Amino acid sequence: MKPFEYTRAGAAAGAVALFRPGDMYLGGGTNLVDLMRLGVAEPERLVDVSRLPLDRVEADGDGLRVGAAVRNSDLGAHPLVLARYPMLARAVLSGASGQIRNMATVGGNLLQRTRCPYFQDVSKPCNKRLRGSGCPAIPGDHAHLAVLGHSPACVATHPSDMAVALAALDARVHVTGPAGSREVPMPGLHRLPGDEPDRDTVLEPGELITAVALPPPPPGRATYRKVRERASFAFALVSVAAALDVGADGTVAGVRLALGGVAHAPWRATRAEAALLGAPAGEEAFARAAEAELEQAVPLPRNAYKVPLARNLIVQTLRELTP
Amino acid sequence: MEITLRVNGDERTLPVDPRTSLLDLLRERLGLTGSKKGCDHGQCGACTVLLEGRRVNACLLLAVACDGLAVTTVEGLAGDGALHPLQEAFIAHDAFQCGYCTPGQLCSAAGMLAERGPSAVTEDLAAEPGLTAGEIRERMSGNLCRCGAYQGIVAAIAEVAR
């Protein structure tokens, strides 16, 4: 591991004031420390923000405000999250292991990097590590990678489960930085790769996530479903965050759908949502909506299985949520 | 940098390179070789210890980030010459073969038994789930056993959970 300096911040404003080019913020470190060991991340200094007083989950009217330093395990076990946002609870509980959830923070979960094998292997080119060096995943091993929104430069996926639920719930990410504070909507924090795949998010250098604000939960029933290669402790091949509200006349009165494991960002399925609103809740409308979304998919030779997998998972999840 | 840790009840102050993981500090600086280095990437759980009572992967923690905190390793589970109930149950149920993953399994199980709330396999989020075999397997999925002693591990944890 390349030598680095370490300092701990006592307040969010203090962390931002400390930050200088070449620094990185350290949350739980479950991804960053590993990337440093692999030589993928080489910060000159770590500014530890894991002990900032941003560790509360609080009701905000009928919504919720979650501090950026809240541990994933505390979020997934919080009574307000379990009662109001079952989709978010299930997403968080489906991620990683008990040990990692005890360490990982909300802010760090959002900013974790892709697990693309070439990104994590410094002996290989990777446009995300070094823009312009190439993407060996496109001709190589892309079985776990993106089918939506990718570019000729990068087919990486964002690995977070939590972020998929936040994208479906219209969360807002509170950020503070050298130029002041702002709110970034979900989806919207994570970028599609385009020709700048080294930029995962819209955050500027030195900007720090301080909280995630959730508006009141959408009406109806909600859940998170995840398909992976083993029953636990694995990243999603495809996941679906869904909320469905069926009116008294049997038509869809409200719907939220977001996909994980398929793109460089949590993928809000806006075309599927538009196709579902007002339609009779049932197999036929669910299948048509899934098709409307996945029409845009551009699968690669070894990940084409994700398209029918996503379609079937959308249909099955909506069926499960139908009263 | 100089840091202070409370390790198995004893206060230890020592200078560390910021690159040192908590696992390497425990094993190589403090001679506590119970915690094992398996993958060194947080994927196998052999390095699991309790930090402030919560199970964590010591290989993914920088020692400097643990300054001022309390660590319990497998060496600290047993007290006053008596084995921890999990250690007794692991022996009774043949919950290991080579034993390399066992310290991590023990610390992880001790941390897990103190945790509250549902897991990814809990059907009803509103109910406090009982620790069925399925719940134990899901909650222990961060600890791998290459010998495949899972049957014994699940039985041992279930006995202590009762």
Side-chain angles (χ1 to χ4, degrees), chain A residues 121-137:
Chain A
D121 179 352
V122 293
S123 72
K124 301 288 191 300
C126 169
N127 287 323
K128 187 177 275 301
R129 259 188 290 109
L130 183 64
R131 200 191 294 178
S133 63
C135 175

Side-chain angles (χ1 to χ4, degrees), chain A residues 179-249:
Chain A
S181 297
R182 63 181 177 131
E183 288 181 27
V184 181
M186 290 284 291
L189 175 69
H190 302 91
R191 301 174 62 257
L192 291 181
D195 54 11
E196 293 182 315
D198 47 318
R199 292 191 61 206
D200 289 359
T201 71
V202 299
L203 297 189
E204 299 294 335
E207 282 195 312
L208 175 72
I209 296 175
T210 55
V212 172
L214 292 167
R221 302 167 65 187
T223 195
Y224 183 79
R225 290 280 309 271
K226 176 176 178 178
V227 177
R228 42 187 160 176
E229 285 179 330
R230 58 183 186 189
S232 184
F233 199 13
F235 292 99
L237 298 173
V238 176
S239 67
V240 172
L244 183 68
D245 184 31
V246 178
D249 62 354

Side-chain angles (χ1 to χ4, degrees), chain A residues 1 3-4 6 8 30 33-34 37-38 46 48 51 73-74 82 86 90 93 97 99-100 102-103 232-233, chain B residues 18-19 40-43 48 54-57 59 61-62 64-65 67 108 115 118 122-123 138 141-143:
Chain A
M1 198 185 289
F4 59 90
Y6 170 92
R8 189 180 304 128
T30 56
V33 171
D34 194 35
R37 192 166 284 147
L38 293 168
L46 291 178
D48 188 346
R51 295 197 212 175
S73 48
D74 292 330
L82 294 170
R90 291 210 182 273
L93 292 170
S97 67
Q99 290 95 317
I100 288 177
N102 275 341
M103 302 164 71
S232 184
F233 199 13
Chain B
R19 290 173 291 183
D40 217 20
H41 292 287
Q43 296 170 2
T48 304
R54 303 176 73 164
R55 55 182 172 154
V56 294
N57 298 112
C59 74
L61 279 162
L62 296 173
V64 285
D67 185 23
S108 184
E115 290 168 5
T122 309
E123 291 281 337
E138 162 60 24
S141 70
N143 292 83

